[in-house]
Amino acid sequence: MRTIEWRDGVVTMVDQRKLPRQFEVIECRDYDAVAAAIKDMTIRGAPAIGAAAAFGLALAARASRAATRDELLRDLDTAERLLRATRPTAVNLAWALDRVMSKARALDLPASDLREQVTAEAQKIADEDVAMNRAIARHGAALINDGDTVLTHCNAGPLATVDVGTALGVIIEAHRQGKEIHVFVDETRPRLQGARLTAWELTQAGVPMTLIADNAAGYFMRAGKVQRVIVGADRVTANGDVANKIGTYKVAVVAHENGVPFYSAMPTSTIDLSLPNGDAIPIEERDAREVTHIDGVCIAPEGVRVSNPAFDVTPHKYIAALITDRGVVYPPFKDSLLRIMRAEA
Amino acid sequence: MRTIEWRDGVVTMVDQRKLPRQFEVIECRDYDAVAAAIKDMTIRGAPAIGAAAAFGLALAARASRAATRDELLRDLDTAERLLRATRPTAVNLAWALDRVMSKARALDLPASDLREQVTAEAQKIADEDVAMNRAIARHGAALINDGDTVLTHCNAGPLATVDVGTALGVIIEAHRQGKEIHVFVDETRPRLQGARLTAWELTQAGVPMTLIADNAAGYFMRAGKVQRVIVGADRVTANGDVANKIGTYKVAVVAHENGVPFYSAMPTSTIDLSLPNGDAIPIEERDAREVTHIDGVCIAPEGVRVSNPAFDVTPHKYIAALITDRGVVYPPFKDSLLRIMRAEA
């Protein structure tokens, strides 16, 4: 089943805050509910929140009482602003909103037909995400050798996308091809997406894995026990810099230092050629309680000052290759990214 | 007050598993209790467990019904073996046991007098630790500039020693000298000694600090917001390699990559010239539950495979200086360590 789906005018999504203890699907009946679900990370992962935002617009279109095309576009604008403000770092969210809004603005149709088209475009985004992830998995699996141990950080699995996953899609595909691989899963503090989601997904897929504290990743790389690092991405800039879950930068530097190839996998919807480099990417700062509390239990002195950046930027010089739905691209990324973004999908 | 003390034949220690929620002092009345406290990390920190092991021998001497010197030495041998087996990585534990046992073996005294001497030697180790840490603080504070932000990993504060601390002793001393400093505290998974102990100690000492997830350390270093990294040490080998809490290696590599000086502070009891380099240091593997459970709450799929190395080794090439009680030493460490270890304290 998919992480997020449109079912007869209702958006359903797996509640990722409850895994691995509980598998629960929630229903969003209006765009406010979708915005709240993105913000509180009921749904997370760059491609998944892109699809969620698009479905949010579909819900807004459906709920709108607009009689004319212009009235409907105004209602969509209102929803679009709320959805856009939920999370700043992953570009897929803005990309999906832009795509649906451009489509709507480009069509000179009566309101009722436009409603249908908005929903169809959101559905298309979701379907294309699955197709892109399948292509990523196919391209990326070729980089994994039989016998490799692969380290991953955070969750870039089926749950982070509409289905299949990016980094984890590659790993699971390599496993399905019969390659004997083992995965080190960084638990990924503060929200523990590695321990909660990646470990759960790999267990479901039957891929052999070992959960480790983020702090142990360097130990295993230095010991020669990691042959590849693969992570997802929240935004890739024109020069190949990658914004991804906080801690990715440390992993990439240490991988580089130990001669371990570091790959980032993403659909082309994650590539933002409008930004020259990673310094221009807005980094979301999240609530202190994500650090001080784990499942409601306080693990630090009360009232302690906390800084909780949710993402960091890995400069392209630490990245061996980017795995996209249009193929694997290598440095210099400025050229190779431009080439694939201009190419037909 | 001290982390560990000898009070009328009872060893008292702060229960570090309960902080910051509860400040509790427990009593150990026999050496088994001390061994258990070291093993379950009621007391932790290389210098602190060295003192604890020495006091364990004092309790064994006191409890022994030996009538002769030889019988007493045999009883001490039994206790010594149990205490030595508690934790393998920090050398201070073995160092303190060796020191007390050598002293006992060297003295040709009746059992009753030997008992006194064993206790006196253990007390001396504890007192010397405090004096050494004061010297470390003094030498190290000179390396901290007014306005510096210092990052530390794990806990190398008063609680990790008999008193004063090593890395945190340096930081607190710089603060006391009136330097305006700020500290980034790595929470230090899996046991969260940074969040639980370092954050608590710095708050007590009134040093401005910010708690961060370990994953965020690289983000702040790359942003130019960290001027120094200071950590403790569990063992330093002849070439200057440093074993310390898991994750230290990642911090050191990323600090090096960003031109941030990385210091490790330790009493000379942590320096082990018998090992040529860090590859020879035994690395303790601890229970999977430290990773999968936080305060009894399971944060991963049940039964997931885990690897939980408690320490890693930072090669000397990433270390700008070692701060010891006999002064700050610089590369090449092979020469400088030999020189200070030969010098009189």
Side-chain angles (χ1 to χ4, degrees):
Chain A
M1 75 156 285
R2 291 184 169 190
T3 302
I4 179 164
E5 279 184 286
W6 177 266
R7 287 190 199 158
D8 303 324
V10 176
V11 175
T12 63
M13 52 179 89
V14 178
D15 188 341
Q16 304 195 31
R17 299 167 312 166
K18 300 211 171 131
L19 285 168
R21 248 171 296 170
Q22 237 176 298
F23 185 90
E24 199 176 309
V25 175
I26 65 151
E27 296 187 342
C28 295
R29 296 179 175 272
D30 53 45
Y31 72 84
D32 297 270
V34 172
I38 295 171
K39 207 167 175 122
D40 71 12
M41 296 176 67
T42 298
I43 187 162
R44 34 61 56 199
I49 63 175
F55 283 134
L57 288 181
L59 286 176
R62 199 181 164 92
S64 168
R65 297 185 178 181
T68 67
R69 177 182 177 280
D70 283 356
E71 282 170 23
L72 179 56
L73 285 178
R74 270 199 298 279
D75 285 349
L76 286 174
D77 276 337
T78 305
E80 192 262 351
R81 272 194 300 277
L82 183 82
L83 290 160
R84 189 179 293 265
T86 50
R87 300 199 69 195
T89 303
V91 75
N92 310 62
L93 190 140
W95 169 87
L97 291 169
D98 288 343
R99 180 166 149 179
V100 176
M101 292 305 292
S102 302
K103 177 84 178 186
R105 287 197 194 97
L107 294 170
D108 192 10
L109 294 173
S112 59
D113 293 346
L114 199 52
R115 275 189 188 91
E116 304 266 310
Q117 290 301 315
V118 165
T119 305
E121 190 66 15
Q123 186 63 56
K124 212 171 145 199
I125 285 174
D127 293 340
E128 283 177 16
D129 186 59
V130 180
M132 286 195 286
N133 294 334
R134 289 217 175 95
I136 290 168
R138 206 170 53 240
H139 294 306
L143 299 176
I144 314 287
N145 294 328
D146 194 36
D148 275 356
T149 290
V150 182
L151 186 138
T152 190
H153 186 76
C154 197
N155 174 266
L159 288 164
T161 62
V162 176
D163 202 359
V164 179
T166 55
L168 231 52
V170 169
I171 289 168
I172 293 168
E173 176 60 23
H175 169 76
R176 278 194 190 135
Q177 291 176 358
K179 291 177 184 168
E180 273 201 33
I181 55 172
H182 188 91
V183 186
F184 276 121
V185 177
D186 269 6
E187 63 174 359
T188 320
R189 279 283 289 157
R191 289 188 68 108
L192 298 162
Q193 293 95 332
R196 296 188 195 276
L197 306 177
T198 302
W200 182 78
E201 288 187 320
L202 288 176
T203 304
Q204 299 274 315
V207 182
M209 55 143 292
T210 303
L211 177 65
I212 59 172
D214 304 305
N215 282 325
Y219 172 84
F220 290 111
M221 285 196 263
R222 186 165 173 265
K225 296 193 175 162
V226 177
Q227 281 72 49
R228 300 277 182 276
V229 176
I230 309 185
V231 301
D234 288 83
R235 192 182 305 216
V236 180
T237 55
N239 67 341
D241 288 356
V242 170
N244 193 49
K245 183 52 53 195
I246 191 76
T248 302
Y249 168 65
K250 273 171 92 182
V251 174
V253 170
V254 175
H256 191 258
E257 190 76 4
N258 286 281
V260 179
F262 178 96
Y263 305 130
S264 174
M266 76 289 304
T268 37
S269 52
T270 307
I271 299 167
D272 180 4
L273 295 186
S274 77
L275 298 185
N277 60 60
D279 296 340
I281 300 173
I283 299 295
E284 177 183 9
E285 172 84 22
R286 290 187 62 87
D287 199 274
R289 281 181 66 96
E290 291 188 351
V291 176
T292 57
H293 289 69
I294 298 173
D295 282 333
V297 178
C298 185
I299 52 114
E302 293 286 349
V304 75
R305 182 175 160 175
V306 170
S307 187
N308 182 23
F311 302 92
D312 59 26
V313 171
T314 297
H316 60 89
K317 70 169 171 172
Y318 303 111
I319 300 169
L322 300 173
I323 306 168
T324 82
D325 47 290
R326 300 186 190 174
V328 178
V329 304
Y330 295 92
F333 293 118
K334 217 162 174 169
D335 301 338
S336 54
L337 283 174
L338 205 59
R339 207 159 46 238
I340 63 145
M341 293 305 276
R342 278 180 184 156
E344 284 305 302
Chain B
M1 74 156 283
R2 290 184 170 189
T3 302
I4 179 163
E5 280 184 284
W6 177 265
R7 289 190 197 158
D8 304 324
V10 176
V11 175
T12 63
M13 54 178 87
V14 178
D15 188 341
Q16 305 195 31
R17 297 168 313 166
K18 300 210 171 135
L19 284 168
R21 248 171 296 169
Q22 236 176 298
F23 184 90
E24 200 177 309
V25 175
I26 65 150
E27 297 187 342
C28 296
R29 296 177 175 273
D30 53 45
Y31 72 84
D32 297 270
V34 172
I38 296 171
K39 207 166 174 120
D40 71 12
M41 295 177 68
T42 298
I43 189 162
R44 31 64 55 199
I49 64 175
F55 282 133
L57 288 181
L59 286 177
R62 199 181 162 94
S64 168
R65 296 184 178 181
T68 68
R69 177 183 176 280
D70 283 356
E71 283 170 20
L72 179 56
L73 285 178
R74 270 198 298 278
D75 284 348
L76 286 174
D77 276 338
T78 305
E80 193 261 351
R81 271 195 300 277
L82 183 81
L83 289 161
R84 190 179 292 266
T86 50
R87 301 199 68 194
T89 303
V91 76
N92 310 63
L93 190 141
W95 169 88
L97 291 169
D98 288 343
R99 180 166 148 178
V100 175
M101 293 305 292
S102 302
K103 176 84 178 187
R105 288 197 194 97
L107 293 170
D108 192 8
L109 294 173
S112 59
D113 293 345
L114 199 51
R115 276 190 188 92
E116 305 265 312
Q117 290 300 316
V118 164
T119 304
E121 191 66 14
Q123 186 63 56
K124 214 171 142 198
I125 285 174
D127 293 341
E128 284 177 15
D129 185 59
V130 180
M132 285 195 286
N133 294 335
R134 289 216 175 94
I136 290 167
R138 207 170 52 242
H139 293 306
L143 298 176
I144 313 288
N145 294 328
D146 194 34
D148 275 357
T149 290
V150 182
L151 186 139
T152 190
H153 187 76
C154 197
N155 174 266
L159 288 164
T161 62
V162 176
D163 202 359
V164 179
T166 56
L168 232 51
V170 169
I171 289 168
I172 293 168
E173 176 60 21
H175 170 76
R176 279 193 189 135
Q177 291 175 359
K179 291 176 182 167
E180 272 200 35
I181 55 172
H182 188 91
V183 185
F184 276 121
V185 177
D186 268 7
E187 63 174 0
T188 319
R189 280 282 289 156
R191 289 188 68 107
L192 298 163
Q193 294 94 332
R196 295 188 197 277
L197 307 177
T198 302
W200 182 79
E201 288 187 319
L202 288 176
T203 304
Q204 299 273 315
V207 182
M209 56 143 291
T210 302
L211 177 66
I212 58 173
D214 304 304
N215 282 326
Y219 172 85
F220 290 111
M221 285 196 264
R222 185 164 175 263
K225 295 194 175 161
V226 177
Q227 281 72 49
R228 302 275 182 276
V229 176
I230 309 185
V231 300
D234 289 83
R235 192 182 305 215
V236 180
T237 55
N239 67 342
D241 288 357
V242 170
N244 193 49
K245 181 52 54 195
I246 191 76
T248 302
Y249 167 65
K250 272 171 94 182
V251 174
V253 170
V254 176
H256 191 259
E257 190 76 4
N258 286 281
V260 178
F262 178 96
Y263 305 130
S264 173
M266 75 291 303
T268 37
S269 53
T270 307
I271 298 167
D272 180 4
L273 295 186
S274 78
L275 297 185
N277 60 59
D279 295 340
I281 300 173
I283 299 295
E284 178 183 8
E285 173 85 19
R286 293 187 60 88
D287 198 274
R289 281 182 66 96
E290 292 188 349
V291 176
T292 56
H293 289 69
I294 299 174
D295 283 333
V297 177
C298 185
I299 51 114
E302 294 285 349
V304 75
R305 180 174 163 178
V306 169
S307 186
N308 182 23
F311 302 92
D312 59 26
V313 171
T314 297
H316 61 88
K317 72 168 170 171
Y318 302 111
I319 300 170
L322 300 173
I323 306 168
T324 82
D325 48 289
R326 300 185 192 174
V328 178
V329 303
Y330 295 92
F333 293 118
K334 218 161 174 171
D335 301 336
S336 55
L337 282 174
L338 206 59
R339 207 157 47 236
I340 63 147
M341 292 306 277
R342 278 180 183 156
E344 284 304 303

